[in-house]
């Protein structure tokens, strides 16, 4: 009891505003991840609908490319050299798709592996590799899982805060 107060005063560790903010953050993150999932799904659906032509290619060469990457540490710009593999794909052309070689940095490729290339017959500049599509689908699954985790955490916190509040209020009487 304090001063002129009569009765027990419950002190909560978190304010109501903090609880609402925490729940809103998790539910908001869930919504963002679900929207990203929908975006990725629309992207892959659009590519699949447009890219009806198919050609094949074989990875014939791999080159290691060095490039500079900038980052900030303690407010200062730093540079470091990074590497990535660039795979050259020799394409078995058809009457429409006329690119003799393509390049990819997809890490699932290796020299000698066969690659399926899907392209848009109306715009051959629009194409994708089966391997790239698998990576994009994995990204959509990752966003879905993260969205589910954030949704569950947000609902559990909402439930816990509501139940705990009611329980604590019932202890006052």
């Amino acid at each position: 009891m304090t001063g002129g107060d009569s009765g027990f005063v419950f002190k909560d560790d978190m304010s109501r505003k903090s609880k609402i903010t925490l729940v809103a953050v998790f539910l908001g993150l869930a919504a963002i991840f679900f929207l990203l999932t929908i975006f990725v799904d629309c992207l892959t659906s659009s590519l699949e609908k447009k890219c009806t032509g198919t050609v094949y290619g074989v990875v014939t060469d791999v080159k290691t490319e060095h490039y500079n990457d900038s980052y900030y540490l303690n407010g200062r710009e730093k540079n470091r050299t990074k590497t990535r593999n660039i795979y050259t794909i020799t394409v078995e052309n058809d009457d429409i798709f006329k690119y003799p070689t393509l390049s990819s940095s997809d890490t699932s490729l290796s020299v000698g592996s066969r690659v399926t290339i899907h392209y848009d017959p109306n715009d051959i500049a629009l194409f994708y590799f089966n391997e790239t599509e698998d990576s994009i689908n994995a990204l959509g699954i990752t966003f879905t899982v993260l969205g589910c985790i954030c949704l569950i955490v947000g609902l559990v916190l909402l439930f816990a805060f509501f139940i705990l509040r009611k329980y604590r209020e019932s202890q006052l009487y």
Side-chain angles (χ1 to χ4, degrees), residues 20-33 146-147 149-155 157:
I20 291 170
T21 302
L22 186 62
V23 169
V25 164
F26 277 103
L27 295 179
L29 282 173
I32 289 169
F33 284 127
L146 289 173
I149 289 170
C150 288
L151 180 65
I152 290 168
V153 169
L155 291 175
L157 288 175

Side-chain angles (χ1 to χ4, degrees), residues 31-47:
I32 289 169
F33 284 127
F34 288 135
L35 288 174
L36 286 171
T37 300
I38 292 169
F39 173 73
V40 167
D41 188 46
C42 289
L43 177 69
T44 57
S45 295
S46 173
L47 277 176

